[in-house]
Amino acid sequence: MMVAKRIDLAAVALLVLLVILPNLVWWYRAGWVEAGQAGLLPAILIVFFLLALVPRFWVAACVLLPFLILSPLESLYIGAYGRPSTQHVAAILAETSYSEVANFLSGKLLSVLLGLCVSMAASILVIRRLYLSKLCFPLRIRALILVGGASAFVMVGGAEAWYGQFDIARANVMGSGDTFLERRSSPAAEVFQDSYPIGVPLRLRKFFAERQIMRDLEAKLASFHFGAAQQPSRQAREVYVLVIGETGRPDRWELNGYSRPTNPELRGEPDVVSFRNMTTPWAWTSMSVPAILTRKPAGDGRFFFPEKSLITAFREAGFRTYWLSTQSPLGEHDSSIALHAHEADVVRFLNPADYKASGLHDGVLLSAMSDVLARNEPKQLIVLHTLGGHFNYADRYPREFERFTPAMGSGIAVNFSRKDKLVMNNAYDNSVLYTDHVLAGAIKQLQQADLMASLLYIADHGEVLYDGDCSENGHGYNTVFDFRTASIWWASPKYKEAFPDFLNAARSRRDAPLATYNVFYSMLDLAGIRIPDFDSSKSLFNSQWRAYPRPTQAGVDFDDSIEDGACRTLKPRPR
């Protein structure tokens, strides 16, 4: 009898272990403060709540069966990327073809299959044993667990309802009724969302809600047309590449006079033109990237502008269009961008992890771009959306690019405070070095293809890096570092031969007051695409270009402001 009792208890222990395994892996990777409290404690609460909710443990085990089987997959994901999966993973799977999934699993397939087989066998054995034993909690313990669990859920639900009022208020502040703001979760709800298994249905719910929003927005724009055409149509094969960078400070580029060798490869390209005075009106990716892709006015506070992007203009003009990204296909920071990404003929989100984890580096975009060029289509637009220098900076480059040391990610404990300024700055410079490598790699592909081509790179916004005596790090502080962005342009020999005036114009505007709103018209101008109300004065390659005011999200004109304090915050000039 005693042996049977021990086997029964071992079956319960194995059940709990299988369910909370992903949280244990996360705890091992990230430590108790981040993973233990956020993942492990809610997981244990959920398991014991389910065991107490039904009369017999085996019924709860049947309810948990899908999570028992998926547990090894989530554990492998956390082991690879250091964080639990999110709705990003569901979106990636929805966007990804079978061949891409197979490619991602290459080298991991044996581990995945082995883990699934072990978890299925263990789950069946556990359920069978619990069914035969008819184990359940004593009535008093069961009541305590149910009351405690229900109280926790009520507290989380109340916090969620209270927190949601801030979203409504913020949406009202942001502008008109068609402003979109994702329904954020409260900090309490985020605890459950990161935990396994309860987080899985929460993430799926979030994914389906965000996808429906995207579909509604796409339906609203379905009838929009630019009436674009290439004038005149060109006979040679032509490819235009737009690289949207992330968190790119121009003063950290060697091309712009930085003392460190952060651009060793681009420095060797004589026809690369760096625009040293480019700015963005927004220091948030969700607002700044649409300002690059569309005709959205700089001061427009809507998350979604009721027009399509330059991608649709290229499609109307007969181009095959591609969106290749290492960022996310959905989410608070990404939905306003993904709306335009899906205007492309081919959309590929290549990174299985979001920006919160290390994931894959931007170099994967080069392989995808090579595949596109190999299609030999006569007219192509390729948009590469990179992670660039997005925090955590050390996650943005392979270790062989850790040239500036000591840096984050080298086994150094970092508290992300001012005392870590050196290692954070070194890591950021290493991310610039890797961006240099990726851009040079894209240029080399275009050179080897020997076609009429150009590449325009522009970062979405800058970054504060504890500059001088500034006590801030990140972006969104309305400083001069937030709004200055890195940008370069390169053209192939065939393109320069056909359009020498464009190269001369670009060189003459290295230090001109440019802004991200120039990109829409400049990209169309490069390809000779015209729309009925094309504004030549906003194309930096056009002889009719002229300088315009450069407003920022703080309501301050970048060129008519003063820099205040240690962080050089932009403020209106006194009158």
Side-chain angles (χ1 to χ4, degrees):
M1 182 66 73
M2 191 62 116
V3 173
K5 193 70 172 177
R6 287 177 179 173
I7 293 175
D8 294 341
L9 293 176
V12 175
L14 182 56
L15 169 68
V16 174
L17 178 62
L18 282 173
V19 176
I20 70 171
L21 179 61
N23 304 287
L24 293 173
V25 175
W26 188 21
W27 183 9
Y28 176 77
R29 284 293 309 269
W32 169 254
V33 174
E34 179 179 355
Q37 297 178 29
L40 192 57
L41 292 180
I44 293 173
L45 170 65
I46 290 297
V47 172
F48 278 87
F49 185 80
L50 282 175
L51 289 174
L53 191 62
V54 293
R56 294 285 186 265
F57 284 178
W58 75 269
V59 178
C62 288
V63 173
L64 290 168
L65 182 59
F67 303 107
L68 294 171
I69 294 172
L70 291 174
S71 175
L73 293 181
E74 179 73 0
S75 299
L76 286 170
Y77 184 92
I78 295 172
Y81 302 112
R83 286 193 56 82
S85 62
T86 64
Q87 69 271 21
H88 167 95
V89 176
I92 289 289
L93 292 174
E95 298 277 355
T96 304
S97 66
Y98 172 80
S99 61
E100 289 173 336
V101 172
N103 182 61
F104 168 67
L105 288 176
S106 62
K108 308 179 185 72
L109 188 57
L110 183 60
S111 299
V112 168
L113 292 176
L114 182 61
L116 287 174
C117 289
V118 170
S119 65
M120 289 177 68
S123 301
I124 292 170
L125 289 174
V126 165
I127 292 174
R128 182 178 182 276
R129 184 65 199 182
L130 293 178
Y131 175 76
L132 294 174
S133 69
K134 302 193 185 315
L135 276 178
C136 63
F137 279 121
L139 186 59
R140 184 174 296 179
I141 295 176
R142 185 181 175 195
L144 286 173
I145 294 173
L146 289 176
V147 170
S151 300
F153 295 140
V154 168
M155 290 173 62
V156 170
E160 183 79 344
W162 177 81
Y163 195 77
Q165 300 304 311
F166 292 94
D167 290 324
I168 295 170
R170 186 173 172 214
N172 290 334
V173 169
M174 287 301 295
S176 65
D178 59 353
T179 296
F180 166 75
L181 189 65
E182 182 196 25
R183 177 67 167 84
R184 294 184 177 184
S185 297
S186 69
E190 290 289 350
V191 168
F192 284 92
Q193 190 163 291
D194 283 339
S195 182
Y196 187 91
I198 187 61
V200 175
L202 294 177
R203 296 165 210 166
L204 289 175
R205 181 179 69 89
K206 201 168 185 180
F207 161 68
F208 285 115
E210 290 173 350
R211 189 172 68 167
Q212 186 58 52
I213 290 170
M214 289 290 298
R215 287 176 173 174
D216 293 344
L217 290 164
E218 287 171 350
K220 287 183 179 181
L221 292 180
S223 61
F224 179 86
H225 298 283
F226 285 105
Q230 195 176 34
Q231 302 173 350
S233 182
R234 301 168 184 175
Q235 301 304 312
R237 184 189 177 198
E238 50 188 330
V239 176
Y240 299 94
V241 179
L242 172 63
V243 185
I244 302 173
E246 172 68 60
T247 317
R249 276 182 54 159
D251 62 336
R252 294 303 184 94
W253 286 52
E254 183 185 3
L255 291 177
N256 299 329
Y258 188 42
S259 59
R260 280 180 160 179
T262 54
N263 298 126
E265 296 186 59
L266 289 177
R267 192 180 61 228
E269 297 290 344
D271 292 323
V272 167
V273 179
S274 181
F275 301 114
R276 298 181 284 237
N277 192 12
M278 180 73 75
T279 65
T280 176
W282 297 94
W284 307 332
T285 299
S286 58
M287 297 293 283
S288 61
V289 173
I292 292 171
L293 294 168
T294 71
R295 295 186 293 185
K296 180 180 179 181
D300 193 322
R302 290 173 292 181
F303 270 51
F304 293 99
F305 182 58
E307 278 191 10
K308 291 186 178 180
S309 73
L310 61 87
I311 297 171
T312 288
F314 271 80
R315 287 188 68 187
E316 291 179 8
F319 282 76
R320 182 75 169 170
T321 56
Y322 297 84
W323 182 280
L324 311 175
S325 176
T326 48
Q327 296 221 18
S328 298
L330 284 175
E332 173 194 343
H333 307 290
D334 305 281
S335 291
S336 60
I337 302 164
L339 177 67
H340 299 303
H342 284 89
E343 295 174 32
D345 294 299
V346 177
V347 182
R348 293 183 64 192
F349 292 94
L350 301 167
N351 196 349
D354 64 13
Y355 70 93
K356 296 178 183 177
S358 55
L360 300 182
H361 301 120
D362 288 334
V364 299
L365 294 169
L366 295 179
S367 175
M369 178 177 161
S370 178
D371 293 340
V372 172
L373 293 176
R375 298 185 180 191
N376 209 33
E377 294 158 335
K379 299 177 187 294
Q380 293 177 324
L381 169 70
I382 305 172
V383 181
L384 307 179
H385 191 197
T386 71
L387 271 169
H390 195 296
F391 190 85
N392 183 333
Y393 316 127
D395 289 338
R396 305 299 162 229
Y397 56 87
R399 291 286 73 83
E400 59 265 30
F401 283 84
E402 194 162 83
R403 187 169 303 175
F404 308 111
T405 57
M408 300 159 60
S410 305
I412 298 173
V414 177
N415 296 316
F416 309 118
S417 62
R418 184 171 171 76
K419 71 181 183 62
D420 299 312
K421 175 179 177 177
L422 175 63
V423 295
M424 293 176 72
N425 273 266
N426 284 341
Y428 181 82
D429 285 351
N430 289 329
S431 76
V432 177
L433 179 68
Y434 187 61
T435 294
D436 173 81
H437 172 73
V438 172
L439 291 174
I443 289 173
K444 285 183 174 63
Q445 288 188 17
L446 295 174
Q447 289 172 330
Q448 291 167 2
D450 190 28
L451 41 74
M452 192 157 72
S454 85
L455 180 146
L456 177 63
Y457 163 87
I458 183 165
D460 57 354
H461 54 72
E463 185 89 332
V464 183
L465 290 163
Y466 296 123
D467 298 272
D469 293 326
C470 180
S471 60
E472 304 292 352
N473 168 247
H475 49 267
Y477 300 106
N478 297 323
T479 73
V480 67
F481 306 111
D482 287 294
F483 300 119
R484 287 200 180 276
T485 65
S487 181
I488 66 164
W489 180 67
W490 171 90
S492 70
K494 285 186 176 179
Y495 190 92
K496 291 183 297 181
E497 182 181 353
F499 303 101
D501 290 346
F502 279 20
L503 179 61
N504 294 333
R507 286 173 171 167
S508 71
R509 289 170 190 141
R510 292 179 192 269
D511 297 300
L514 304 174
T516 54
Y517 56 66
N518 291 123
V519 173
F520 178 92
Y521 295 98
S522 299
M523 286 297 297
L524 267 59
D525 212 8
L526 286 169
I529 296 174
R530 289 295 179 265
I531 55 178
D533 49 356
F534 184 83
D535 190 347
S536 299
S537 68
K538 289 183 179 176
S539 167
L540 66 90
F541 301 105
N542 201 289
S543 60
Q544 297 182 43
W545 174 87
R546 66 181 178 87
Y548 283 87
R550 297 191 289 178
T552 65
Q553 66 191 54
V556 179
D557 188 324
F558 187 88
D559 299 302
D560 189 25
S561 62
I562 59 171
E563 299 174 10
D564 181 64
C567 295
R568 298 174 64 184
T569 304
L570 297 185
K571 294 189 174 181
R573 188 179 298 279
R575 301 300 179 192

